[in-house]
Structures are given as C-alpha cells and as structure tokens.
Amino acid sequence: MSNTRATHLTRRGILAAGGALGLGAVLAACGDDDAKSGGSGEETTAAKSGPWSFKDDRGTTVKLDKVPTKIVAFIGVAAALYDYGIEVKGVFGPTRTQDGKADVQAGDMDVSKLTVFGNVWDQFNVEKYAAFAPEVLLSTTFDSAGTLWYVPEASKDKIAQLAPSAAISVYDRQLTQPLERMWALAESLGADLKADKAVQAKKGFEAAAERLRKAAKARPEIKVMAGSASQDIFYVSGTNLSIDLEYFKALGVNFVEPPESAKKEGGGWFESLSWENVDKYPADIIMMDDRSSTIQPADITEATWKKLPAVKAGQVIARSPEPILSYDKCTPLLTSLAEAIEKAKKVA
C-alpha cells in the first residue's frame, strides 16, 4: 500500500468498516472496467408526479421539481430501495465480485442491468456519470462530517456539481434509526409502504429483534466477538459507532469490547491484531465480516485461527458491517445471531 493511499484511507475513517475491514483486501480487490477511465419525521413525502424534497441526515434539504427517476446511489442504498420497489439505474460501490457475480451488497438486484460508475474504493467515472445526467445521488455517511460513502475525495467536488446529493447516516447510532430513515426516503420516492410486503417485512424484523433479545437474556454468559480478516491483520470491532453492533448490544448481546486505547489506530472502530495474537479475546461466537473485500472464514489458513475454541466448535457466523437498510435484509442478521446464541456451547 502506498503511503499516499494509506493516508487517504485514514482520513476517510479507514474505510469505516462498520468497525473492522481488511484494508489490504480492499486495495487488492478487482477493479471495474466501467470505472477505470477516470426517528425521522424530517422529510416531505411527495406524490409521484409532484415536487420532491428530502431532508437528509446532514441537515441538507434536497428539492427537485419532480420525484427523481434517474437516481444514482451507493450499491447498498440502491439494494435497500429496490426492496421497497424503487428502481435505481446507476450505482457505485461493490457491485460485482472478481468473477462477475453480484456482490453481497447488491442484494436482490440484477447487476447486469445497472450502470456502474465505480466498483471499488476510490474509483468513480465522472465523465460517465455526467453523461448519465443524474437527478440525485444517494449514499450513506460513516462520519459526523457527513462524508458521502464511496464518493472519492479527489473528485467529490466535480461530482457534487452534477447533481444534488442526500445521505443516510450510519454513524454512531442503532440500526433502527437508519432503517427508519431509509423507509422515509423510499416513501418520499413513491414506495408503497402500506403494501403487504413492506408491512410484513417490518413485522418480521420486530419479531426477530424480540427473539434476539430473549436469546441474549437467556444466555448472558455467551461472549460474541465481531471480527474481520485481511492477509496480515485480524480486526476486532468494538460496539461503539457501528449501527448493527450498537443495536445488538442494546438488545442484550454480550460482546467482546476492545479498550478505547486499543482502538485508537482504527479511528475508534476496531483494534488491529496480528494473527499470532488472534486469541487475545476469549469468545464463544465469532461474527465475521461477510463483504467481498475481506477474507472469508473458509479461506483463512492461519493455524492460530483454526485453534480458536469458537472456530473448532463451528460457532462462526456471518456479519454485515454495511447492512442493506431494508427490514427484509436486516431480519436475517438478527435471526442468525439469535439462533447462534440459542445453540452455542460455552467454549471460551
């Protein structure tokens, strides 16, 4: 990794990562041909044919003469809106994996039908974006400054001149808040949230949350660690700042918590451990970052990893540090953790 790139990633919160991200894996990720050239209550619901406005989590109100249809969004935002029936035609962020398949962050979308302006970190084809003539750009933000996620620092000003933007904050709050904000954004764009699919999805999420609450209360002795793997480093996330972990903790889940001093290098999100020290924190369940930019559990060859009690017991589950913010996609995250806690053996 060049010093320039390392400094840039640090300025952007070391990729925020919902707490933990293997930077080496991200920077080694395959590029995209398309990109190499270069409590809500704050929004106004619009009729499908009328003016549109939305007050985002930066305090910025976007106003357009009509509800936008030429939307460009970070892939996870596009996937969430898709679940609510809103079609996003242009995306940026991890859309396709190295073998051309849909990235986990693309959700149920058919990625072959999307216009992709950048598939990896720090790539965004501005000329192609301009030709697309976007009406609005939608993303998330992982910091208090409202920095648009996956919009490159070097080209952010040019991108901002081409279309207004709106952001949903996923920084230092519980999962339910950005879920509500995405729901409100979808509604403003014309989603029918009284439809049975949307209503049932929300009920399903609430039921899964109650199941996790009960599981955590019944098994307080079960210790859970949130991790992420890169070639040289294992990252252990603290619960502060990450929307999923903050919510799971509020529901009673007993997490490994690295001290603040140990998370300093990771911008307060995570502690970096060498693979030799991966056993620093005892854990009964390990939740592993499921993003394509990280090494997945089945591909970890380190002997120290294989010796961990939770690994030997088969008590490793997936975690989505950048969850798709629809109730439909977040429900399985709650259910998976609840089931793991219910069935876990005390091994740490």
Side-chain angles (χ1 to χ4, degrees):
M1 182 192 304
S2 70
N3 290 334
T4 300
R5 171 133 338 151
T7 301
H8 173 69
L9 292 178
T10 299
R11 288 202 307 269
R12 294 295 296 273
I14 315 181
L15 288 187
L21 177 60
L23 299 184
V26 171
L27 300 179
C30 179
D32 184 88
D33 291 338
D34 291 334
K36 289 179 180 178
S37 65
S40 53
E42 297 178 327
E43 61 293 315
T44 300
T45 302
K48 292 184 179 180
S49 59
W52 180 77
S53 69
F54 183 80
K55 186 174 182 180
D56 76 357
D57 292 341
R58 301 171 299 177
T60 300
T61 299
V62 182
K63 296 181 179 181
L64 298 173
D65 293 337
K66 63 183 181 66
V67 178
T69 55
K70 294 200 75 175
I71 301 169
V72 172
F74 173 69
I75 185 65
V77 173
L81 291 175
Y82 180 88
D83 285 351
Y84 294 128
I86 302 300
E87 181 181 4
V88 174
K89 300 175 181 178
V91 299
F92 56 97
T95 304
R96 293 191 286 262
T97 58
Q98 295 184 40
D99 58 6
K101 295 180 180 179
D103 190 276
V104 65
Q105 294 190 66
D108 294 333
M109 293 189 298
D110 183 348
V111 297
S112 68
K113 296 181 179 179
L114 299 173
T115 299
V116 184
F117 301 102
N119 195 62
V120 299
W121 181 259
D122 218 24
Q123 292 185 346
F124 196 111
N125 190 325
V126 180
E127 292 182 0
K128 186 175 181 181
Y129 179 67
F132 185 81
E135 294 174 296
V136 68
L137 180 147
L138 306 174
S139 190
T140 51
T141 179
F142 275 89
D143 58 34
S144 58
T147 305
L148 293 173
W149 188 233
Y150 261 83
V151 173
E153 182 74 18
S155 56
K156 67 177 184 180
D157 292 338
K158 292 181 180 179
I159 293 169
Q161 292 173 4
L162 296 169
S165 64
I168 299 297
S169 178
V170 288
Y171 175 71
D172 194 18
R173 59 201 60 202
Q174 294 182 23
L175 178 61
T176 46
Q177 187 173 348
L179 274 172
E180 290 167 0
R181 296 292 288 137
M182 190 64 72
W183 176 277
L185 176 59
E187 186 174 39
S188 79
L189 293 168
D192 180 6
L193 299 182
K194 294 181 180 179
D196 187 64
K197 179 180 179 181
V199 172
Q200 293 305 317
K202 194 170 186 179
K203 287 182 178 180
F205 176 87
E206 293 166 351
E210 184 58 28
R211 178 180 175 182
L212 179 55
R213 187 192 304 275
K214 290 180 178 179
K217 184 177 181 179
R219 303 292 307 278
E221 77 281 6
I222 298 299
K223 199 80 169 179
V224 180
M225 180 168 68
S228 183
S230 69
Q231 183 175 353
D232 300 316
I233 299 174
F234 182 83
Y235 303 88
V236 179
S237 293
T239 57
N240 290 339
L241 307 182
S242 299
I243 57 172
D244 61 329
L245 302 185
E246 283 200 10
Y247 184 51
F248 299 158
K249 182 180 179 180
L251 291 175
V253 177
N254 182 11
F255 278 102
V256 166
E257 293 282 6
E260 291 302 316
S261 58
K263 296 188 293 179
K264 187 174 182 180
E265 183 182 349
W269 293 87
F270 55 82
E271 178 181 1
S272 302
L273 299 177
S274 66
W275 283 103
E276 289 77 13
N277 295 317
V278 73
D279 60 353
K280 179 177 179 178
Y281 298 108
D284 302 294
I285 296 171
I286 303 176
M287 302 176 68
M288 289 295 291
D289 190 335
D290 68 354
R291 291 172 293 183
S292 57
S293 54
T294 66
I295 300 175
Q296 296 305 299
D299 299 319
I300 298 175
T301 59
E302 300 290 341
T304 49
W305 163 261
K306 294 181 179 180
K307 292 179 181 179
L308 292 178
V311 175
K312 292 173 68 175
Q315 295 176 177
V316 178
I317 63 173
R319 175 200 171 205
S320 298
E322 292 182 63
I324 294 172
L325 295 171
S326 71
Y327 290 106
D328 179 72
K329 292 299 182 293
C330 287
T331 296
L333 309 181
L334 295 164
T335 302
S336 174
L337 181 54
E339 183 177 2
I341 292 172
E342 290 165 354
K343 295 181 177 180
K345 297 177 182 178
K346 182 63 182 174
V347 295

